[in-house]
Amino acid sequence: MAILIPQETIAHIIEEADLAEIIGDYIPLQKKGQNYWALCPFHDDKSPSFSVNSEKRIYKCFSCGVQGNIIDFVKNYTHSEFLTALEIISTKIDFPIPELKNRVVNSKYSSEEEKLFSLNEKALQFYQVVLASQEGLAAQEYLTKRGFNQEEMMYWEIGWASSKISFYKTMLSQNEDLELLRSAGLVTLKDGQVFDYFVNRLVFPIKNQDGKILGFSGRTINEQTPKYLNTRETKLFKKSQLAFNLDMALPSITISKKILVLEGFMDVMSLHQIGVKNAIALMGTNLSEFHLQLFKKLKVEVLLFLDGDLPGVKASLTSAKKLLNYHLPVQIIDNETKLDPDDLVHQGQSETLWTMLNNPQIPLFYAIEKIPQLVNLQKPELFREYLNRVFDFLLLVTEPVLKAQGLQKLSQKTNLTTSVLGESYEKFRNNLSGQELPRPPVVTITTTKRKPKTFDKQPDAYDYSQRDILQSLISSPRHLEKIARHLGGAPNPDLYIVLQELINGYQNGTYHANNWEELMAILQLSNFDYQNPFWQLEPHLQANWHVRSNLDSAILTLQEHHLIAKEKLYAQQIRETDVVEVQKKFLKVKEEIHQEIIDLRKKRQ
């Protein structure tokens, strides 16, 4: 039975909750003037752009645009549903909600799993206490040299497993069950004796999406081997179903709609130090069905950032193909340094890292450049293998422009003409007849379209302003709120529908910046003349887009057009009425509108 909370109760909670105090429980805030400021927790913020106004009871990020009230914040930050967020806040402000008193939240976990989670939490607390003690001084020194301050040690909940303070004996003294300790993978048996599984290692908790501890990874601080030791396979800890940092990265992933996939958890931690918050680590395993389903559910673009050595290149290509076959958008970060992200950060090469992160490649282009590292092109018998492996990726590209660009790049790499390569590719496709070729989903259009209109006049300032706004919205949601506020100024009614659909798409996750397949689905369901060359709505023209004026000026131009239309409407009303009083009233409104037009023109100058 659904639980209904009175609107008065919800309004009271929003009114009574101290916005800054509660948000400050989750992220550090700094007061400047009337507002509090922080690095936005919902995107990779590099300077404080997240503003909290306790008086107005709203927060807003002036970079990514996320905003809302206290319930929105707790709901999005903790990735919980509405009632849970409401309950969290009501507890913090000591305002019980009668409707939630007997609320029963059915656990998705069995009683045995809950016991294991509880034991893992106990183990984490033990390891953290040891790290903070005299026995943990050497480990603390090591972490400090690696760039971790006390705040970061606490953020990552790092612990220390000492050979001098036995975890097993401590648990035994607290009457913990040996069989449960074994089931959790925290102890091991050898020759009939019980030993701690983690000894003389830094210990890092590995959690699931709900923040429950599945197990641990231990890292040596000396020459002990292996360097990394993970919890063995248990009921909770399944290597193929791990995504380190998923619980902490979810808010940033949700907002950015991008997930950065790394190999190791130290890579994730190091990138976090330079402001990258949407990264997870596979913990040394390959992409599994679990990961593919996860990315599909999150509706994100996957950015693969694996090691730059040959195994890393091979893993990138294999993973990219899996993702494409699963109809997921994917790009690859080309790591030519042969160093992993962790090493790059600690060698002071953050700028190099950001350059790589900001220039991802589509898998086809990456394959053309990298497969020669795996296949010797100097051997004629292997040259065909190279082409076929590239053609495998070409099959998964549906955008004609990208296909053409891919063949052009392949031509430059092989010194073969694009026509020869095109014929070879068609033969490759024909040889696969009978096999089911993987294809991304095709958007099916059932709406009957009218014949596109064409410009019957030279484009004027209003047309250029509309184009600037359209191109801005296609490229980025950065000015989403500003455009939404002034949408009514668009003189082209068909364009108005497209702009509204783009705004809705960003808000409900059905449109992502520069996603041409999603854009075409919107355009083809409208009567907008997107095929007119004036609009420049072709993917290959995007690089040539330039804003004739800044967005503010474009919006002012459209506002002026809207006001001129209103002024004309009142002028017509004045002509069509014989009632003097009505004429006077309409004349006054018309004069006010005219003054607004003059003021707008001054702003544009």
Side-chain angles (χ1 to χ4, degrees):
M1 182 176 171
I3 298 176
L4 298 177
I5 309 296
Q7 286 299 316
E8 296 80 5
T9 301
I10 297 171
H12 179 79
I13 287 175
I14 294 173
E15 181 74 21
E16 291 299 313
D18 188 318
L19 189 68
E21 182 179 335
I22 294 178
I23 291 180
D25 288 342
Y26 296 99
I27 60 174
L29 297 174
Q30 184 176 4
K31 189 167 186 180
K32 291 182 181 178
Q34 292 184 334
N35 292 357
Y36 292 84
W37 293 84
L39 293 174
C40 179
F42 300 117
H43 82 285
D44 299 331
D45 208 2
K46 297 177 179 59
S47 61
S49 56
F50 185 82
S51 173
V52 177
N53 189 313
S54 288
E55 185 178 342
K56 294 182 179 178
R57 295 173 180 79
I58 59 172
Y59 67 86
K60 178 175 180 179
C61 176
F62 289 90
S63 181
C64 72
V66 63
Q67 61 183 323
N69 58 35
I70 187 60
I71 301 174
D72 297 321
F73 179 88
V74 173
K75 183 168 172 273
N76 292 326
Y77 189 89
T78 63
H79 217 69
S80 56
E81 43 106 15
F82 177 80
L83 289 179
T84 301
L86 202 63
E87 198 167 23
I88 290 171
I89 301 165
S90 68
T91 301
K92 286 180 178 289
I93 66 174
D94 194 23
F95 180 77
I97 301 176
E99 291 81 1
L100 297 180
K101 184 177 181 181
N102 298 316
R103 179 184 177 223
V104 177
V105 180
N106 295 324
S107 174
K108 66 174 80 170
Y109 305 108
S110 68
S111 59
E112 181 187 356
E113 288 172 329
E114 291 288 5
K115 287 179 183 178
L116 291 172
F117 286 136
S118 178
L119 184 57
N120 282 338
E121 281 288 351
K122 207 169 188 178
L124 175 61
Q125 292 170 13
F126 172 86
Y127 295 133
Q128 286 183 296
V129 169
V130 175
L131 177 64
S133 71
Q134 285 291 115
E135 288 299 323
L137 289 179
Q140 290 184 52
E141 185 179 343
Y142 172 85
L143 287 167
T144 301
K145 287 180 179 177
R146 298 280 302 184
F148 291 92
N149 55 33
Q150 286 295 324
E151 185 180 333
E152 287 169 318
M153 292 182 205
M154 293 296 293
Y155 178 85
W156 295 110
E157 300 179 285
I158 305 173
W160 173 248
S162 170
S163 60
K164 296 181 181 179
I165 305 178
S166 171
F167 168 73
Y168 165 63
K169 290 179 180 177
T170 303
M171 293 298 102
L172 206 61
S173 69
Q174 297 177 15
N175 299 317
E176 282 293 348
D177 182 62
L178 172 60
E179 192 54 41
L180 193 63
L181 290 167
R182 287 183 60 191
S183 297
L186 292 166
V187 299
T188 185
L189 294 180
K190 186 176 181 182
D191 300 328
Q193 289 186 294
V194 182
F195 298 92
D196 288 348
Y197 186 76
F198 295 105
V199 180
N200 290 334
R201 290 177 180 274
L202 290 167
V203 179
F204 304 85
I206 312 299
K207 300 182 180 183
N208 65 8
Q209 184 171 333
D210 298 327
K212 302 274 192 179
I213 301 176
L214 303 171
F216 301 89
S217 186
R219 190 194 195 283
T220 180
I221 63 173
N222 48 41
E223 299 305 315
Q224 182 183 357
T225 57
K227 181 188 288 188
Y228 293 99
L229 179 67
N230 295 328
T231 296
R232 64 175 181 270
E233 290 272 320
T234 69
K235 188 176 183 66
L236 298 180
F237 196 89
K238 297 177 176 62
K239 197 173 182 181
S240 63
Q241 298 181 18
L242 300 179
F244 175 77
N245 194 45
L246 178 61
D247 59 317
M248 304 295 281
L250 268 175
S252 182
I253 292 168
T254 302
I255 298 299
S256 68
K257 293 298 179 184
K258 295 178 187 291
I259 188 166
L260 185 64
V261 177
L262 306 170
E263 287 194 21
F265 66 85
M266 292 298 289
D267 295 326
V268 172
M269 292 179 178
S270 294
L271 284 182
H272 189 272
Q273 289 178 350
I274 65 170
V276 179
K277 297 179 182 177
N278 63 331
I280 66 165
L282 297 178
M283 302 294 294
T285 188
N286 295 323
L287 278 181
S288 66
E289 182 70 17
F290 166 82
H291 299 113
L292 296 172
Q293 291 280 7
L294 172 66
F295 302 154
K296 195 82 169 179
K297 181 181 177 183
L298 292 175
K299 297 179 182 177
V300 292
E301 178 183 32
V302 181
L303 300 176
L304 294 172
F305 191 6
L306 309 181
D307 290 346
D309 55 13
L310 289 181
V313 169
K314 188 174 181 181
S316 293
L317 291 167
T318 302
S319 297
K321 191 180 292 186
K322 280 185 180 180
L323 290 160
L324 290 172
N325 283 329
Y326 218 79
H327 312 318
L328 285 164
V330 55
Q331 293 196 77
I332 302 174
I333 310 296
D334 186 7
N335 185 358
E336 295 183 329
T337 66
K338 305 300 184 283
L339 298 172
D340 58 36
D342 179 41
D343 291 330
L344 288 168
V345 170
H346 293 105
Q347 289 184 17
Q349 298 191 49
S350 298
E351 191 173 330
T352 301
L353 263 172
W354 277 113
T355 300
M356 288 191 286
L357 289 168
N358 290 328
N359 292 280
Q361 296 184 15
I362 67 168
L364 173 62
F365 296 171
Y366 183 86
I368 291 169
E369 293 299 322
K370 296 298 180 180
I371 291 178
Q373 295 181 16
L374 310 174
V375 178
N376 187 353
L377 297 190
Q378 302 306 315
K379 295 183 178 181
E381 66 273 18
L382 295 178
F383 188 80
R384 168 55 60 183
E385 180 186 346
Y386 167 64
L387 289 182
N388 287 348
R389 290 180 68 170
V390 172
F391 290 161
D392 271 340
F393 282 92
L394 197 60
L395 282 170
L396 297 166
V397 176
T398 56
E399 171 54 53
V401 173
L402 291 180
K403 275 186 181 287
Q405 290 176 337
L407 287 173
Q408 186 64 44
K409 284 181 178 289
L410 190 58
S411 172
Q412 295 168 359
K413 193 75 175 177
T414 60
N415 291 322
L416 296 174
T417 64
T418 53
S419 59
V420 168
L421 288 170
E423 291 175 8
S424 183
Y425 170 63
E426 288 304 319
K427 288 180 181 178
F428 175 81
R429 286 194 62 189
N430 293 333
N431 287 337
L432 291 178
S433 60
Q435 298 183 33
E436 185 177 348
L437 299 180
R439 288 285 185 275
V442 177
V443 178
T444 303
I445 307 300
T446 56
T447 302
T448 303
K449 270 185 50 54
R450 295 200 300 262
K451 185 178 179 180
K453 304 170 186 176
T454 57
F455 273 86
D456 55 3
K457 62 179 181 62
Q458 282 295 108
D460 56 22
Y462 303 119
D463 296 317
Y464 284 114
S465 295
Q466 289 180 96
R467 188 174 75 180
D468 288 346
I469 291 170
L470 175 62
Q471 292 176 348
S472 171
L473 199 55
I474 290 171
S475 301
S476 167
R478 182 181 175 189
H479 302 294
L480 191 68
E481 184 184 353
K482 182 185 292 185
I483 293 172
R485 281 202 309 270
H486 303 287
L487 196 59
N492 184 322
D494 294 327
L495 174 62
Y496 174 90
I497 294 172
V498 171
L499 293 174
Q500 185 64 64
E501 285 302 311
L502 285 169
I503 291 169
N504 294 339
Y506 276 121
Q507 291 173 340
N508 60 32
T510 58
Y511 178 75
H512 306 91
N514 289 324
N515 188 309
W516 291 94
E517 183 178 290
E518 294 172 351
L519 174 63
M520 289 307 296
I522 291 173
L523 294 174
Q524 291 178 345
L525 286 171
S526 72
N527 290 313
F528 177 61
D529 181 19
Y530 65 90
Q531 294 175 325
N532 191 298
F534 170 77
W535 300 108
Q536 300 183 352
L537 293 186
E538 292 288 341
H540 66 280
L541 292 175
Q542 182 188 2
N544 297 322
W545 283 2
H546 64 281
V547 180
R548 288 166 46 89
S549 58
N550 64 46
L551 192 64
D552 287 335
S553 177
I555 288 174
L556 288 173
T557 301
L558 291 194
Q559 285 181 282
E560 180 185 339
H561 183 282
H562 184 59
L563 289 172
I564 289 174
K566 285 178 67 176
E567 185 183 28
K568 288 179 179 178
L569 179 63
Y570 277 100
Q572 181 181 347
Q573 294 284 351
I574 292 169
R575 288 194 300 270
E576 292 178 353
T577 181
D578 295 326
V579 181
V580 177
E581 288 301 317
V582 174
Q583 287 180 335
K584 289 180 179 179
K585 182 179 177 181
F586 285 169
L587 182 60
K588 183 179 179 182
V589 175
K590 178 177 174 291
E591 289 172 349
E592 289 173 353
I593 293 172
H594 188 73
Q595 185 58 50
E596 285 186 61
I597 294 171
I598 293 173
D599 293 340
L600 277 179
R601 287 173 176 169
K602 288 179 180 178
K603 283 184 182 180
R604 287 173 50 204
Q605 291 174 354

